[in-house]
Amino acid sequence: MSRQQREPSLLDAIVPLVVLAGLIAAALAMFGLDALDGPIQAALIVCVLVAGLIGMKNGHTWADVERAAQNAFTSITSAVLILLAVGALIGIWNLSGTIPTLVYYGIQALSPSWYYAAAAIICGAVAMSIGSSWTTAGTIGAGLIGVAAMLGVSPAITAGAVISGAYLGDKLSPLSETTILTAQMVKVDVHQHIKRQAWTSVPAFVLATVAFLVLSLVRAPDVHNPVGKEVELASLGDIYHINPWNLLPLVLLAVLSVRKVPATLALMISALFAGILGAFLQPQVMRDFVGTAENPVVGSIKGIWRAMANGFEIDSGIGEIDRLLSRGGMDSMLPTLWLIIGAVTFGAILEEFGLINRLVDPLIRAASSTGRLFLAVFACGFGLNVVAGDQYIALVLPSRVFRLEFEKRGLAATNLSRLAADSATVTSPLVPWNSCGAFMGAVLGVPVLSYLPYAIFNYASPALSVLYGITGFKIEKASDQSTGAT
């Protein structure tokens, strides 16, 4: 039987977000950072049911709920394949020596005379190669904080530099989960999304680097010797055969990306190439990983297969090295995919039943200009980081809600994808109770409010994005892209 459908009330729209905020806060309070391993995902599924029940109260059917969920799953099919390929690539790049070589060369460049700027640049390079701000901060970042204490430089400024670099890489890496998700939500090609993100990310990082150079001159001690040997990660040279050949898989991935090879295909080609290369360049690492005295060819195939599926593991006895490299594999992406599925389904149901529009429509009506529209998107993304405490929610909801409004106004979708990332991804570590802020504060040993003034990239990037909207600089029309203009 057909039922009369009613428009949601303001209370209907508020309840799911209040339940979400309460459950995520409780999950973080009870489980700490382990909340991301399942409790927050479960909370999202509960919120999906709450939103579904409100929709049914207003005349919708359970079939409507299921249809919205199916549409949500369809929208992330490509993202699922890309993320699984990313997991495989990270595991094999660790096995083959690609990531260890990049880290080793970066550490050798450290010097106290430009320590803060070097920390930002090194973390940016590593984060771009592995696609994870968390792993970068938890390994290299934590090591740089320790070295800062030994050298007498400021741990708070170093933490700000680490986070600035880590989130630059997170935004511009084709391996980043948030980058892939944002492009999928706004329905733009991931490479086009990265290209447009560079318009705000690169200038913001240049500003941050200049500021860190000035702080290095003003605040750093009068020491000029390299400090690479003081970092535990420099011991990578004792484990791997470090040489430039190890970076060929990274070069191959860059070439394939430039030639616009589909992301999943490019990632898997680079991963398999790295595995074959690693069998020749890192035979001892391969033997230690496989753990058997099998035929070298069979052992190498087994090692590549295992790293692709379950990630790479190493027990070197050096904590920083083990934490940095023992990761990857397709199965490592399953908690993230679970989180994305929950977040996207929640957003789809809020959108389908008009719940999120009930809250956002007043903002859209008030946004009479492009600048005000950009400001509204930023307020929504950052506000959700504060209220919901999770960057995935802060990415998904604005991307879904404002996509049609950008289309109505003739604005290219890449404007929204850049703005959503600037509003949600990079601001997440600036909120102490956000999962990202809690993680950064814990692994770096520096409170969020202490490093907040020095996380320069993380507020320069969204500021530039909103400024572009106000001035019209680098704002593309949909008609420009349809005719091939860039």
Side-chain angles (χ1 to χ4, degrees):
M1 294 179 60
S2 61
R3 302 172 60 187
Q4 183 178 2
Q5 297 178 359
R6 299 183 297 276
E7 291 295 319
S9 66
L10 182 60
L11 180 61
D12 289 339
I14 292 175
V15 166
L17 294 180
V18 171
V19 173
L20 174 66
L23 289 178
I24 290 181
L28 291 172
M30 292 182 183
F31 301 101
L33 293 174
D34 291 337
L36 288 168
D37 293 331
I40 285 181
Q41 289 90 329
L44 281 167
I45 300 303
V46 171
C47 291
V48 166
L49 299 179
V50 170
L53 289 173
I54 291 175
M56 294 174 70
K57 176 185 78 71
N58 291 330
H60 295 275
T61 65
W62 184 251
D64 295 330
V65 176
E66 292 180 335
R67 184 174 60 255
Q70 290 169 359
N71 292 335
F73 294 163
T74 301
S75 71
I76 60 171
T77 301
S78 179
V80 169
L81 294 175
I82 293 173
L83 287 173
L84 291 174
V86 166
L89 180 136
I90 291 173
I92 296 180
W93 273 15
N94 283 328
L95 171 66
S96 67
T98 300
I99 291 174
T101 299
L102 185 65
V103 173
Y104 181 83
Y105 286 152
I107 292 297
Q108 305 309 308
L110 279 174
S111 173
S113 59
W114 59 302
Y115 191 80
Y116 304 134
I121 293 170
I122 291 169
C123 287
V126 172
M128 287 188 69
S129 71
I130 65 177
S132 172
S133 56
W134 282 34
T135 300
T136 301
T139 54
I140 294 173
L144 292 171
I145 295 292
V147 174
M150 292 190 300
L151 296 177
V153 300
S154 168
I157 299 177
T158 303
V162 166
I163 291 169
S164 293
Y167 276 86
L168 169 76
D170 198 310
K171 280 191 67 186
L172 297 183
S173 173
L175 310 183
S176 168
E177 301 158 11
T178 55
T179 296
I180 295 167
L181 177 62
T182 306
Q184 291 296 310
M185 287 296 95
V186 185
K187 298 183 179 180
V188 300
D189 177 76
V190 67
H191 299 300
Q192 292 298 319
H193 169 60
I194 291 172
K195 180 179 178 180
R196 270 53 176 205
Q197 285 209 108
W199 291 349
T200 54
S201 299
V202 172
F205 190 71
V206 170
L207 290 172
T209 303
V210 171
F212 291 132
L213 283 171
V214 173
L215 288 169
S216 295
L217 294 174
V218 174
R219 303 284 297 273
D222 187 19
V223 182
H224 299 284
N225 60 296
V227 297
K229 294 182 180 179
E230 299 179 41
V231 183
E232 285 188 339
L233 288 168
S235 300
L236 285 166
D238 300 328
I239 301 171
Y240 289 85
H241 179 53
I242 301 295
N243 62 80
W245 294 109
N246 295 331
L247 299 179
L248 285 178
L250 181 60
V251 174
L252 175 61
L253 180 61
V255 171
L256 293 174
S257 298
V258 169
R259 296 185 66 84
K260 298 183 179 181
V261 174
T264 302
L265 186 58
L267 291 166
M268 290 303 295
I269 290 173
S270 178
L272 293 173
F273 174 66
I276 296 170
L277 194 65
F280 292 98
L281 297 180
Q282 312 296 340
Q284 186 59 50
V285 174
M286 185 74 75
R287 283 194 295 270
D288 292 342
F289 176 59
V290 175
T292 64
E294 296 184 55
N295 177 283
V297 175
V298 175
S300 296
I301 294 174
K302 184 177 179 180
I304 295 169
W305 205 329
R306 181 178 160 195
M308 184 183 296
N310 307 116
F312 178 67
E313 294 181 4
I314 187 171
D315 184 12
S316 66
I318 302 174
E320 286 187 30
I321 290 177
D322 295 346
R323 287 193 299 273
L324 174 66
L325 302 182
S326 296
R327 59 187 300 265
M330 292 185 182
D331 66 351
S332 70
M333 290 295 169
L334 297 182
T336 298
L337 291 174
W338 183 11
L339 182 62
I340 290 172
I341 288 171
V344 171
T345 304
F346 181 57
I349 291 178
L350 291 181
E351 182 180 16
E352 176 73 17
F353 298 156
L355 299 175
I356 197 67
N357 290 337
R358 183 69 175 81
L359 295 173
V360 177
D361 277 350
L363 289 176
I364 294 177
R365 287 195 298 270
S368 55
S369 65
T370 300
R372 290 185 178 181
L373 179 63
F374 273 53
L375 192 58
V377 176
F378 169 75
C380 187
F382 181 67
L384 285 167
N385 264 328
V386 173
V387 174
D390 183 79
Q391 66 174 339
Y392 289 98
I393 297 292
L395 270 175
V396 168
L397 293 185
S399 298
R400 294 189 68 95
V401 170
F402 287 95
R403 180 167 53 83
L404 292 178
E405 185 63 25
F406 272 63
E407 184 178 321
K408 288 178 183 177
R409 300 193 186 196
L411 297 170
T414 48
N415 296 306
L416 177 58
S417 68
R418 179 181 69 226
L419 179 58
D422 282 329
S423 304
T425 301
V426 299
T427 63
S428 57
L430 305 181
V431 181
W433 53 87
N434 188 285
S435 57
C436 295
F439 177 84
M440 294 298 168
V443 300
L444 297 178
V446 178
V448 173
L449 296 180
S450 295
Y451 69 64
L452 178 62
Y454 307 109
I456 299 169
F457 172 81
N458 297 70
Y459 47 83
S461 188
L464 284 175
S465 204
V466 173
L467 181 62
Y468 286 5
I470 294 173
T471 62
F473 180 69
K474 290 297 184 182
I475 301 302
E476 296 180 301
K477 299 294 185 180
S479 57
D480 295 335
Q481 290 193 350
S482 64
T483 57
T486 59

